[in-house]
Amino acid sequence: MQPKNPLDPIVEDRNSKRFARIYDSMNERSERKLRGVRSALFQHVAGNVVELGPGTGANLRYYEAAERVTLVEPYRAMRKILADRVESAHNSDVFSIVDGRAECVPVDSQSIDTVVSTLVLCSVPDVDRTLAEIRRILKPTGVLVFLEHHVGTGPRSTLQHVLTPFMKKYAANCHLDRNTPRALSRSGFSVQTTITVPNGLSLRVSPTWPMAAGIATPS
Ligand SMILES: C[S@@+](CC[C@H](N)C(=O)[O-])C[C@H]1O[C@@H](n2cnc3c(N)ncnc32)[C@H](O)[C@@H]1O
């Protein structure tokens, strides 16, 4: 469940606690397949970085070239797990966890080299507002590094529409049926590099959902 005010920095309820608790084991199989993709994406991550919705910290291990990484994680239960992992990371001093949301990131305009969003644009309440916020904080030379599942076609998309209300309730507001590639181009982002995701996202009990990954720049 999202908070009453969609910009409140902290979300805390029973469903989000449960989701945080099961998140890593639910994603285990998929994560094994995504490791190569995450690693390829992080070749493009450098400088002053903001990561939106880092969750339990799936990306922490890939931050080798970043000077500073601001982690914006509004779900308290996710944030607890994240904080423990940051603390035990060998480069823990580059990370800071801040209050905020993807639609409202507490950093100056045009101050960020790289924004990282992996499996987050499906969850934010307002994807257009989030993409506008990413544009605001990126330097003119900055890049958005993304890895996102999105709506498919045919019967798969019907199933995604049917499952979305359930996912929104129990899986951190995840919209399975969001057309994220279209949202990116609607918001004036152009994809410069595409990284193929060999198998889409498949959780323990779900079919495979199509995914898009790459590097986008605001035009
Ligand atoms: C499916 S998890 C992805 C976690 C992580 N990025 C990964 O790759 O495994 C979705 C994440 O988005 C976060 N999230 C949801 N709404 C958000 C918002 N408005 N702003 C920032 N993060 C948000 C959730 O708390 C959760 O950590």
Side-chain angles (χ1 to χ4, degrees), residues 2 6 19 23 27 31 38 51-59 72-75 78 100-103 117-120 122-125 130 147 171-174:
Q2 292 289 313
F19 185 59
Y23 186 72
N27 275 356
E31 269 311 311
R38 288 193 195 262
E51 180 171 349
L52 305 174
T56 58
N59 292 324
V72 184
E73 177 48 70
Y75 281 61
M78 288 284 191
R101 299 174 70 82
E103 305 88 336
S117 173
T118 63
L119 312 178
V120 171
C122 59
S123 285
V124 296
T130 296
L147 164 64
N173 203 40
C174 173

PDB file of all heavy atoms in Angstrom, residues 2 6 19 23 27 31 38 51-59 72-75 78 100-103 117-120 122-125 130 147 171-174, ligand 1:
ATOM      1  N   GLN A   2       0.515   2.244  -0.763  1.00  0.00           N
ATOM      2  CA  GLN A   2       1.234   3.510  -0.771  1.00  0.00           C
ATOM      3  C   GLN A   2       0.708   4.386   0.367  1.00  0.00           C
ATOM      4  O   GLN A   2      -0.418   4.214   0.835  1.00  0.00           O
ATOM      5  CB  GLN A   2       1.018   4.218  -2.111  1.00  0.00           C
ATOM      6  CG  GLN A   2       1.679   3.512  -3.266  1.00  0.00           C
ATOM      7  CD  GLN A   2       3.198   3.633  -3.219  1.00  0.00           C
ATOM      8  OE1 GLN A   2       3.754   4.695  -3.022  1.00  0.00           O
ATOM      9  NE2 GLN A   2       3.878   2.510  -3.395  1.00  0.00           N
ATOM     10  N   PRO A   6       1.288  10.537  -1.559  1.00  0.00           N
ATOM     11  CA  PRO A   6       2.222   9.710  -2.338  1.00  0.00           C
ATOM     12  C   PRO A   6       3.655  10.205  -2.294  1.00  0.00           C
ATOM     13  O   PRO A   6       4.553   9.530  -2.754  1.00  0.00           O
ATOM     14  CB  PRO A   6       1.652   9.778  -3.752  1.00  0.00           C
ATOM     15  CG  PRO A   6       0.716  10.922  -3.773  1.00  0.00           C
ATOM     16  CD  PRO A   6       0.245  11.152  -2.370  1.00  0.00           C
ATOM     17  N   PHE A  19       6.647  -8.051   2.028  1.00  0.00           N
ATOM     18  CA  PHE A  19       7.319  -8.035   0.725  1.00  0.00           C
ATOM     19  C   PHE A  19       8.840  -7.948   0.909  1.00  0.00           C
ATOM     20  O   PHE A  19       9.597  -8.667   0.262  1.00  0.00           O
ATOM     21  CB  PHE A  19       6.790  -6.853  -0.098  1.00  0.00           C
ATOM     22  CG  PHE A  19       7.328  -6.803  -1.500  1.00  0.00           C
ATOM     23  CD1 PHE A  19       7.125  -7.857  -2.378  1.00  0.00           C
ATOM     24  CD2 PHE A  19       8.031  -5.699  -1.954  1.00  0.00           C
ATOM     25  CE1 PHE A  19       7.619  -7.814  -3.680  1.00  0.00           C
ATOM     26  CE2 PHE A  19       8.529  -5.637  -3.247  1.00  0.00           C
ATOM     27  CZ  PHE A  19       8.329  -6.707  -4.106  1.00  0.00           C
ATOM     28  N   TYR A  23      11.507 -10.749  -0.355  1.00  0.00           N
ATOM     29  CA  TYR A  23      11.961 -10.233  -1.648  1.00  0.00           C
ATOM     30  C   TYR A  23      13.148 -11.019  -2.224  1.00  0.00           C
ATOM     31  O   TYR A  23      13.108 -11.475  -3.363  1.00  0.00           O
ATOM     32  CB  TYR A  23      12.301  -8.740  -1.536  1.00  0.00           C
ATOM     33  CG  TYR A  23      12.642  -8.132  -2.870  1.00  0.00           C
ATOM     34  CD1 TYR A  23      11.648  -7.913  -3.817  1.00  0.00           C
ATOM     35  CD2 TYR A  23      13.947  -7.824  -3.207  1.00  0.00           C
ATOM     36  CE1 TYR A  23      11.954  -7.382  -5.057  1.00  0.00           C
ATOM     37  CE2 TYR A  23      14.254  -7.288  -4.447  1.00  0.00           C
ATOM     38  CZ  TYR A  23      13.255  -7.072  -5.371  1.00  0.00           C
ATOM     39  OH  TYR A  23      13.558  -6.575  -6.601  1.00  0.00           O
ATOM     40  N   ASN A  27      13.108 -13.570  -5.567  1.00  0.00           N
ATOM     41  CA  ASN A  27      13.822 -13.168  -6.783  1.00  0.00           C
ATOM     42  C   ASN A  27      15.037 -14.023  -7.098  1.00  0.00           C
ATOM     43  O   ASN A  27      15.689 -13.785  -8.114  1.00  0.00           O
ATOM     44  CB  ASN A  27      14.350 -11.736  -6.627  1.00  0.00           C
ATOM     45  CG  ASN A  27      13.301 -10.723  -6.985  1.00  0.00           C
ATOM     46  OD1 ASN A  27      12.225 -11.089  -7.418  1.00  0.00           O
ATOM     47  ND2 ASN A  27      13.611  -9.476  -6.799  1.00  0.00           N
ATOM     48  N   GLU A  31      17.318 -13.437 -10.246  1.00  0.00           N
ATOM     49  CA  GLU A  31      18.558 -12.685 -10.005  1.00  0.00           C
ATOM     50  C   GLU A  31      19.775 -13.391 -10.583  1.00  0.00           C
ATOM     51  O   GLU A  31      20.681 -12.744 -11.091  1.00  0.00           O
ATOM     52  CB  GLU A  31      18.770 -12.473  -8.506  1.00  0.00           C
ATOM     53  CG  GLU A  31      18.188 -11.204  -7.977  1.00  0.00           C
ATOM     54  CD  GLU A  31      18.546  -9.970  -8.792  1.00  0.00           C
ATOM     55  OE1 GLU A  31      19.723  -9.760  -9.115  1.00  0.00           O
ATOM     56  OE2 GLU A  31      17.624  -9.227  -9.146  1.00  0.00           O
ATOM     57  N   ARG A  38      23.011  -6.853 -14.910  1.00  0.00           N
ATOM     58  CA  ARG A  38      23.348  -5.786 -13.946  1.00  0.00           C
ATOM     59  C   ARG A  38      24.808  -5.391 -14.128  1.00  0.00           C
ATOM     60  O   ARG A  38      25.167  -4.221 -14.120  1.00  0.00           O
ATOM     61  CB  ARG A  38      23.098  -6.260 -12.511  1.00  0.00           C
ATOM     62  CG  ARG A  38      21.612  -6.382 -12.151  1.00  0.00           C
ATOM     63  CD  ARG A  38      21.420  -6.535 -10.645  1.00  0.00           C
ATOM     64  NE  ARG A  38      20.106  -6.996 -10.260  1.00  0.00           N
ATOM     65  CZ  ARG A  38      19.095  -6.212  -9.853  1.00  0.00           C
ATOM     66  NH1 ARG A  38      19.261  -4.912  -9.779  1.00  0.00           N
ATOM     67  NH2 ARG A  38      17.938  -6.734  -9.505  1.00  0.00           N
ATOM     68  N   GLU A  51      20.568   6.254  -6.732  1.00  0.00           N
ATOM     69  CA  GLU A  51      19.795   5.052  -7.061  1.00  0.00           C
ATOM     70  C   GLU A  51      18.406   5.191  -6.459  1.00  0.00           C
ATOM     71  O   GLU A  51      18.238   5.418  -5.256  1.00  0.00           O
ATOM     72  CB  GLU A  51      20.471   3.768  -6.541  1.00  0.00           C
ATOM     73  CG  GLU A  51      19.595   2.563  -6.926  1.00  0.00           C
ATOM     74  CD  GLU A  51      20.182   1.186  -6.687  1.00  0.00           C
ATOM     75  OE1 GLU A  51      21.387   1.061  -6.400  1.00  0.00           O
ATOM     76  OE2 GLU A  51      19.379   0.219  -6.791  1.00  0.00           O
ATOM     77  N   LEU A  52      17.402   5.019  -7.319  1.00  0.00           N
ATOM     78  CA  LEU A  52      16.010   5.080  -6.882  1.00  0.00           C
ATOM     79  C   LEU A  52      15.562   3.690  -6.432  1.00  0.00           C
ATOM     80  O   LEU A  52      15.845   2.696  -7.112  1.00  0.00           O
ATOM     81  CB  LEU A  52      15.125   5.543  -8.041  1.00  0.00           C
ATOM     82  CG  LEU A  52      15.528   6.869  -8.700  1.00  0.00           C
ATOM     83  CD1 LEU A  52      14.666   7.132  -9.928  1.00  0.00           C
ATOM     84  CD2 LEU A  52      15.419   8.013  -7.692  1.00  0.00           C
ATOM     85  N   GLY A  53      14.887   3.597  -5.323  1.00  0.00           N
ATOM     86  CA  GLY A  53      14.310   2.321  -4.870  1.00  0.00           C
ATOM     87  C   GLY A  53      15.294   1.165  -4.861  1.00  0.00           C
ATOM     88  O   GLY A  53      15.036   0.134  -5.475  1.00  0.00           O
ATOM     89  N   PRO A  54      16.415   1.292  -4.151  1.00  0.00           N
ATOM     90  CA  PRO A  54      17.410   0.212  -4.160  1.00  0.00           C
ATOM     91  C   PRO A  54      16.939  -1.069  -3.464  1.00  0.00           C
ATOM     92  O   PRO A  54      17.584  -2.107  -3.591  1.00  0.00           O
ATOM     93  CB  PRO A  54      18.605   0.821  -3.413  1.00  0.00           C
ATOM     94  CG  PRO A  54      18.020   1.910  -2.572  1.00  0.00           C
ATOM     95  CD  PRO A  54      16.875   2.457  -3.364  1.00  0.00           C
ATOM     96  N   GLY A  55      15.813  -1.006  -2.757  1.00  0.00           N
ATOM     97  CA  GLY A  55      15.270  -2.207  -2.129  1.00  0.00           C
ATOM     98  C   GLY A  55      16.229  -2.798  -1.114  1.00  0.00           C
ATOM     99  O   GLY A  55      16.752  -2.092  -0.244  1.00  0.00           O
ATOM    100  N   THR A  56      16.495  -4.091  -1.250  1.00  0.00           N
ATOM    101  CA  THR A  56      17.379  -4.759  -0.287  1.00  0.00           C
ATOM    102  C   THR A  56      18.853  -4.644  -0.697  1.00  0.00           C
ATOM    103  O   THR A  56      19.714  -5.230  -0.055  1.00  0.00           O
ATOM    104  CB  THR A  56      17.001  -6.247  -0.158  1.00  0.00           C
ATOM    105  OG1 THR A  56      17.093  -6.836  -1.465  1.00  0.00           O
ATOM    106  CG2 THR A  56      15.600  -6.443   0.388  1.00  0.00           C
ATOM    107  N   GLY A  57      19.125  -3.944  -1.794  1.00  0.00           N
ATOM    108  CA  GLY A  57      20.533  -3.680  -2.150  1.00  0.00           C
ATOM    109  C   GLY A  57      21.101  -4.598  -3.216  1.00  0.00           C
ATOM    110  O   GLY A  57      22.310  -4.834  -3.240  1.00  0.00           O
ATOM    111  N   ALA A  58      20.260  -5.055  -4.142  1.00  0.00           N
ATOM    112  CA  ALA A  58      20.731  -5.968  -5.193  1.00  0.00           C
ATOM    113  C   ALA A  58      21.898  -5.383  -5.994  1.00  0.00           C
ATOM    114  O   ALA A  58      22.730  -6.124  -6.521  1.00  0.00           O
ATOM    115  CB  ALA A  58      19.584  -6.311  -6.139  1.00  0.00           C
ATOM    116  N   ASN A  59      21.962  -4.042  -6.080  1.00  0.00           N
ATOM    117  CA  ASN A  59      23.009  -3.430  -6.919  1.00  0.00           C
ATOM    118  C   ASN A  59      24.281  -3.056  -6.159  1.00  0.00           C
ATOM    119  O   ASN A  59      25.266  -2.656  -6.783  1.00  0.00           O
ATOM    120  CB  ASN A  59      22.469  -2.157  -7.592  1.00  0.00           C
ATOM    121  CG  ASN A  59      21.406  -2.474  -8.627  1.00  0.00           C
ATOM    122  OD1 ASN A  59      21.497  -3.499  -9.319  1.00  0.00           O
ATOM    123  ND2 ASN A  59      20.404  -1.625  -8.726  1.00  0.00           N
ATOM    124  N   VAL A  72      17.773   6.237  -2.439  1.00  0.00           N
ATOM    125  CA  VAL A  72      16.458   6.788  -2.082  1.00  0.00           C
ATOM    126  C   VAL A  72      15.479   5.632  -1.948  1.00  0.00           C
ATOM    127  O   VAL A  72      14.952   5.128  -2.938  1.00  0.00           O
ATOM    128  CB  VAL A  72      15.966   7.774  -3.170  1.00  0.00           C
ATOM    129  CG1 VAL A  72      14.644   8.411  -2.753  1.00  0.00           C
ATOM    130  CG2 VAL A  72      17.006   8.842  -3.453  1.00  0.00           C
ATOM    131  N   GLU A  73      15.273   5.172  -0.700  1.00  0.00           N
ATOM    132  CA  GLU A  73      14.415   4.003  -0.477  1.00  0.00           C
ATOM    133  C   GLU A  73      13.329   4.353   0.547  1.00  0.00           C
ATOM    134  O   GLU A  73      13.612   4.448   1.733  1.00  0.00           O
ATOM    135  CB  GLU A  73      15.268   2.820   0.029  1.00  0.00           C
ATOM    136  CG  GLU A  73      14.481   1.564   0.368  1.00  0.00           C
ATOM    137  CD  GLU A  73      13.484   1.172  -0.713  1.00  0.00           C
ATOM    138  OE1 GLU A  73      13.909   0.747  -1.778  1.00  0.00           O
ATOM    139  OE2 GLU A  73      12.261   1.319  -0.487  1.00  0.00           O
ATOM    140  N   PRO A  74      12.089   4.565   0.064  1.00  0.00           N
ATOM    141  CA  PRO A  74      11.045   5.027   0.981  1.00  0.00           C
ATOM    142  C   PRO A  74      10.379   3.942   1.834  1.00  0.00           C
ATOM    143  O   PRO A  74       9.628   4.265   2.747  1.00  0.00           O
ATOM    144  CB  PRO A  74      10.011   5.667   0.048  1.00  0.00           C
ATOM    145  CG  PRO A  74      10.219   5.024  -1.273  1.00  0.00           C
ATOM    146  CD  PRO A  74      11.641   4.572  -1.337  1.00  0.00           C
ATOM    147  N   TYR A  75      10.615   2.657   1.532  1.00  0.00           N
ATOM    148  CA  TYR A  75       9.936   1.595   2.295  1.00  0.00           C
ATOM    149  C   TYR A  75      10.816   1.204   3.479  1.00  0.00           C
ATOM    150  O   TYR A  75      11.922   0.702   3.307  1.00  0.00           O
ATOM    151  CB  TYR A  75       9.688   0.375   1.404  1.00  0.00           C
ATOM    152  CG  TYR A  75       8.497   0.529   0.490  1.00  0.00           C
ATOM    153  CD1 TYR A  75       8.451   1.550  -0.459  1.00  0.00           C
ATOM    154  CD2 TYR A  75       7.417  -0.347   0.557  1.00  0.00           C
ATOM    155  CE1 TYR A  75       7.365   1.707  -1.293  1.00  0.00           C
ATOM    156  CE2 TYR A  75       6.324  -0.199  -0.285  1.00  0.00           C
ATOM    157  CZ  TYR A  75       6.300   0.827  -1.207  1.00  0.00           C
ATOM    158  OH  TYR A  75       5.222   0.980  -2.040  1.00  0.00           O
ATOM    159  N   MET A  78      12.380  -2.373   3.674  1.00  0.00           N
ATOM    160  CA  MET A  78      13.457  -2.552   2.687  1.00  0.00           C
ATOM    161  C   MET A  78      14.701  -1.824   3.183  1.00  0.00           C
ATOM    162  O   MET A  78      15.828  -2.300   3.083  1.00  0.00           O
ATOM    163  CB  MET A  78      13.059  -1.923   1.350  1.00  0.00           C
ATOM    164  CG  MET A  78      12.005  -2.663   0.570  1.00  0.00           C
ATOM    165  SD  MET A  78      12.743  -4.124  -0.195  1.00  0.00           S
ATOM    166  CE  MET A  78      11.440  -4.620  -1.300  1.00  0.00           C
ATOM    167  N   GLY A 100      13.207  10.337   0.908  1.00  0.00           N
ATOM    168  CA  GLY A 100      12.776  10.901  -0.370  1.00  0.00           C
ATOM    169  C   GLY A 100      12.016   9.851  -1.136  1.00  0.00           C
ATOM    170  O   GLY A 100      11.788   8.747  -0.645  1.00  0.00           O
ATOM    171  N   ARG A 101      11.611  10.225  -2.310  1.00  0.00           N
ATOM    172  CA  ARG A 101      10.934   9.300  -3.214  1.00  0.00           C
ATOM    173  C   ARG A 101      11.418   9.605  -4.618  1.00  0.00           C
ATOM    174  O   ARG A 101      11.961  10.676  -4.871  1.00  0.00           O
ATOM    175  CB  ARG A 101       9.406   9.477  -3.125  1.00  0.00           C
ATOM    176  CG  ARG A 101       8.866   9.192  -1.734  1.00  0.00           C
ATOM    177  CD  ARG A 101       7.396   9.506  -1.643  1.00  0.00           C
ATOM    178  NE  ARG A 101       6.590   8.565  -2.395  1.00  0.00           N
ATOM    179  CZ  ARG A 101       6.222   7.370  -1.954  1.00  0.00           C
ATOM    180  NH1 ARG A 101       6.594   6.963  -0.762  1.00  0.00           N
ATOM    181  NH2 ARG A 101       5.480   6.580  -2.689  1.00  0.00           N
ATOM    182  N   ALA A 102      11.170   8.675  -5.517  1.00  0.00           N
ATOM    183  CA  ALA A 102      11.656   8.873  -6.887  1.00  0.00           C
ATOM    184  C   ALA A 102      11.089  10.142  -7.513  1.00  0.00           C
ATOM    185  O   ALA A 102      11.725  10.756  -8.372  1.00  0.00           O
ATOM    186  CB  ALA A 102      11.291   7.659  -7.730  1.00  0.00           C
ATOM    187  N   GLU A 103       9.897  10.532  -7.068  1.00  0.00           N
ATOM    188  CA  GLU A 103       9.263  11.728  -7.646  1.00  0.00           C
ATOM    189  C   GLU A 103       9.779  12.996  -6.993  1.00  0.00           C
ATOM    190  O   GLU A 103       9.405  14.103  -7.389  1.00  0.00           O
ATOM    191  CB  GLU A 103       7.732  11.680  -7.430  1.00  0.00           C
ATOM    192  CG  GLU A 103       7.043  10.448  -7.944  1.00  0.00           C
ATOM    193  CD  GLU A 103       7.010   9.306  -6.933  1.00  0.00           C
ATOM    194  OE1 GLU A 103       7.870   9.261  -6.025  1.00  0.00           O
ATOM    195  OE2 GLU A 103       6.126   8.450  -7.071  1.00  0.00           O
ATOM    196  N   SER A 117      17.938   2.943 -11.941  1.00  0.00           N
ATOM    197  CA  SER A 117      16.579   2.485 -11.608  1.00  0.00           C
ATOM    198  C   SER A 117      16.431   1.052 -12.088  1.00  0.00           C
ATOM    199  O   SER A 117      16.386   0.806 -13.297  1.00  0.00           O
ATOM    200  CB  SER A 117      15.548   3.380 -12.305  1.00  0.00           C
ATOM    201  OG  SER A 117      14.257   2.831 -12.118  1.00  0.00           O
ATOM    202  N   THR A 118      16.411   0.112 -11.153  1.00  0.00           N
ATOM    203  CA  THR A 118      16.231  -1.284 -11.557  1.00  0.00           C
ATOM    204  C   THR A 118      14.988  -1.833 -10.864  1.00  0.00           C
ATOM    205  O   THR A 118      14.899  -1.848  -9.643  1.00  0.00           O
ATOM    206  CB  THR A 118      17.479  -2.146 -11.224  1.00  0.00           C
ATOM    207  OG1 THR A 118      17.702  -2.187  -9.830  1.00  0.00           O
ATOM    208  CG2 THR A 118      18.728  -1.626 -11.928  1.00  0.00           C
ATOM    209  N   LEU A 119      14.008  -2.217 -11.647  1.00  0.00           N
ATOM    210  CA  LEU A 119      12.735  -2.772 -11.175  1.00  0.00           C
ATOM    211  C   LEU A 119      11.989  -1.779 -10.283  1.00  0.00           C
ATOM    212  O   LEU A 119      11.373  -2.165  -9.288  1.00  0.00           O
ATOM    213  CB  LEU A 119      12.970  -4.110 -10.430  1.00  0.00           C
ATOM    214  CG  LEU A 119      13.880  -5.121 -11.124  1.00  0.00           C
ATOM    215  CD1 LEU A 119      14.079  -6.371 -10.272  1.00  0.00           C
ATOM    216  CD2 LEU A 119      13.333  -5.513 -12.490  1.00  0.00           C
ATOM    217  N   VAL A 120      12.059  -0.511 -10.640  1.00  0.00           N
ATOM    218  CA  VAL A 120      11.460   0.541  -9.813  1.00  0.00           C
ATOM    219  C   VAL A 120      10.391   1.333 -10.570  1.00  0.00           C
ATOM    220  O   VAL A 120       9.360   1.691  -9.999  1.00  0.00           O
ATOM    221  CB  VAL A 120      12.557   1.503  -9.287  1.00  0.00           C
ATOM    222  CG1 VAL A 120      11.947   2.721  -8.603  1.00  0.00           C
ATOM    223  CG2 VAL A 120      13.478   0.769  -8.319  1.00  0.00           C
ATOM    224  N   CYS A 122       8.199   0.406 -12.406  1.00  0.00           N
ATOM    225  CA  CYS A 122       6.902  -0.290 -12.316  1.00  0.00           C
ATOM    226  C   CYS A 122       6.184   0.065 -11.016  1.00  0.00           C
ATOM    227  O   CYS A 122       4.975  -0.077 -10.904  1.00  0.00           O
ATOM    228  CB  CYS A 122       7.112  -1.806 -12.372  1.00  0.00           C
ATOM    229  SG  CYS A 122       8.172  -2.393 -11.028  1.00  0.00           S
ATOM    230  N   SER A 123       6.926   0.502 -10.004  1.00  0.00           N
ATOM    231  CA  SER A 123       6.375   0.666  -8.651  1.00  0.00           C
ATOM    232  C   SER A 123       6.007   2.089  -8.281  1.00  0.00           C
ATOM    233  O   SER A 123       5.206   2.303  -7.388  1.00  0.00           O
ATOM    234  CB  SER A 123       7.408   0.200  -7.606  1.00  0.00           C
ATOM    235  OG  SER A 123       7.482  -1.190  -7.579  1.00  0.00           O
ATOM    236  N   VAL A 124       6.635   3.066  -8.934  1.00  0.00           N
ATOM    237  CA  VAL A 124       6.378   4.436  -8.512  1.00  0.00           C
ATOM    238  C   VAL A 124       4.934   4.811  -8.842  1.00  0.00           C
ATOM    239  O   VAL A 124       4.405   4.392  -9.867  1.00  0.00           O
ATOM    240  CB  VAL A 124       7.355   5.428  -9.192  1.00  0.00           C
ATOM    241  CG1 VAL A 124       8.774   5.148  -8.763  1.00  0.00           C
ATOM    242  CG2 VAL A 124       7.245   5.379 -10.714  1.00  0.00           C
ATOM    243  N   PRO A 125       4.278   5.593  -7.966  1.00  0.00           N
ATOM    244  CA  PRO A 125       2.886   5.949  -8.249  1.00  0.00           C
ATOM    245  C   PRO A 125       2.734   6.756  -9.537  1.00  0.00           C
ATOM    246  O   PRO A 125       1.760   6.596 -10.245  1.00  0.00           O
ATOM    247  CB  PRO A 125       2.481   6.793  -7.032  1.00  0.00           C
ATOM    248  CG  PRO A 125       3.455   6.455  -5.969  1.00  0.00           C
ATOM    249  CD  PRO A 125       4.724   6.041  -6.642  1.00  0.00           C
ATOM    250  N   THR A 130       8.193  10.913 -12.069  1.00  0.00           N
ATOM    251  CA  THR A 130       9.509  10.361 -11.732  1.00  0.00           C
ATOM    252  C   THR A 130      10.514  10.658 -12.840  1.00  0.00           C
ATOM    253  O   THR A 130      11.637  11.090 -12.584  1.00  0.00           O
ATOM    254  CB  THR A 130       9.396   8.834 -11.515  1.00  0.00           C
ATOM    255  OG1 THR A 130       8.552   8.620 -10.395  1.00  0.00           O
ATOM    256  CG2 THR A 130      10.744   8.186 -11.294  1.00  0.00           C
ATOM    257  N   LEU A 147      16.746  -0.962 -15.750  1.00  0.00           N
ATOM    258  CA  LEU A 147      16.431  -2.384 -15.972  1.00  0.00           C
ATOM    259  C   LEU A 147      15.009  -2.540 -15.446  1.00  0.00           C
ATOM    260  O   LEU A 147      14.775  -2.438 -14.242  1.00  0.00           O
ATOM    261  CB  LEU A 147      17.403  -3.262 -15.167  1.00  0.00           C
ATOM    262  CG  LEU A 147      17.028  -4.736 -14.967  1.00  0.00           C
ATOM    263  CD1 LEU A 147      16.996  -5.478 -16.297  1.00  0.00           C
ATOM    264  CD2 LEU A 147      18.033  -5.405 -14.024  1.00  0.00           C
ATOM    265  N   ALA A 171       3.026  -6.165  -3.598  1.00  0.00           N
ATOM    266  CA  ALA A 171       4.414  -6.124  -4.066  1.00  0.00           C
ATOM    267  C   ALA A 171       4.866  -4.692  -4.337  1.00  0.00           C
ATOM    268  O   ALA A 171       5.268  -4.344  -5.458  1.00  0.00           O
ATOM    269  CB  ALA A 171       4.571  -6.996  -5.316  1.00  0.00           C
ATOM    270  N   ALA A 172       4.798  -3.852  -3.305  1.00  0.00           N
ATOM    271  CA  ALA A 172       5.331  -2.491  -3.365  1.00  0.00           C
ATOM    272  C   ALA A 172       4.795  -1.701  -4.563  1.00  0.00           C
ATOM    273  O   ALA A 172       5.544  -1.018  -5.255  1.00  0.00           O
ATOM    274  CB  ALA A 172       6.870  -2.503  -3.362  1.00  0.00           C
ATOM    275  N   ASN A 173       3.467  -1.839  -4.782  1.00  0.00           N
ATOM    276  CA  ASN A 173       2.816  -1.025  -5.832  1.00  0.00           C
ATOM    277  C   ASN A 173       3.262  -1.375  -7.254  1.00  0.00           C
ATOM    278  O   ASN A 173       3.171  -0.550  -8.170  1.00  0.00           O
ATOM    279  CB  ASN A 173       3.068   0.469  -5.561  1.00  0.00           C
ATOM    280  CG  ASN A 173       2.019   1.349  -6.218  1.00  0.00           C
ATOM    281  OD1 ASN A 173       0.829   1.029  -6.231  1.00  0.00           O
ATOM    282  ND2 ASN A 173       2.448   2.459  -6.791  1.00  0.00           N
ATOM    283  N   CYS A 174       3.736  -2.604  -7.443  1.00  0.00           N
ATOM    284  CA  CYS A 174       4.218  -3.021  -8.771  1.00  0.00           C
ATOM    285  C   CYS A 174       3.074  -3.078  -9.787  1.00  0.00           C
ATOM    286  O   CYS A 174       2.083  -3.763  -9.580  1.00  0.00           O
ATOM    287  CB  CYS A 174       4.875  -4.397  -8.640  1.00  0.00           C
ATOM    288  SG  CYS A 174       5.329  -5.094 -10.222  1.00  0.00           S
TER     289      CYS A 174
HETATM  290  C1  LIG B   1      10.782  -4.525  -6.988  1.00  0.00           C
HETATM  291  S1  LIG B   1      11.682  -3.571  -5.852  1.00  0.00           S
HETATM  292  C2  LIG B   1      13.244  -3.344  -6.669  1.00  0.00           C
HETATM  293  C3  LIG B   1      14.410  -3.269  -5.722  1.00  0.00           C
HETATM  294  C4  LIG B   1      15.788  -3.113  -6.363  1.00  0.00           C
HETATM  295  N1  LIG B   1      15.896  -1.899  -7.125  1.00  0.00           N
HETATM  296  C5  LIG B   1      16.161  -4.298  -7.221  1.00  0.00           C
HETATM  297  O1  LIG B   1      16.643  -4.111  -8.353  1.00  0.00           O
HETATM  298  O2  LIG B   1      16.020  -5.429  -6.750  1.00  0.00           O
HETATM  299  C6  LIG B   1      10.900  -1.999  -6.056  1.00  0.00           C
HETATM  300  C7  LIG B   1      11.510  -0.937  -5.164  1.00  0.00           C
HETATM  301  O3  LIG B   1      10.960   0.338  -5.493  1.00  0.00           O
HETATM  302  C8  LIG B   1      10.778   1.044  -4.294  1.00  0.00           C
HETATM  303  N2  LIG B   1       9.810   2.118  -4.513  1.00  0.00           N
HETATM  304  C9  LIG B   1       8.483   2.028  -4.641  1.00  0.00           C
HETATM  305  N3  LIG B   1       7.933   3.241  -4.810  1.00  0.00           N
HETATM  306  C10 LIG B   1       8.959   4.118  -4.806  1.00  0.00           C
HETATM  307  C11 LIG B   1       9.060   5.524  -4.951  1.00  0.00           C
HETATM  308  N4  LIG B   1       7.979   6.262  -5.158  1.00  0.00           N
HETATM  309  N5  LIG B   1      10.275   6.089  -4.866  1.00  0.00           N
HETATM  310  C12 LIG B   1      11.384   5.337  -4.687  1.00  0.00           C
HETATM  311  N6  LIG B   1      11.362   4.007  -4.546  1.00  0.00           N
HETATM  312  C13 LIG B   1      10.153   3.406  -4.610  1.00  0.00           C
HETATM  313  C14 LIG B   1      10.304  -0.021  -3.317  1.00  0.00           C
HETATM  314  O4  LIG B   1      10.463   0.351  -1.997  1.00  0.00           O
HETATM  315  C15 LIG B   1      11.231  -1.167  -3.688  1.00  0.00           C
HETATM  316  O5  LIG B   1      12.427  -1.085  -2.981  1.00  0.00           O
END
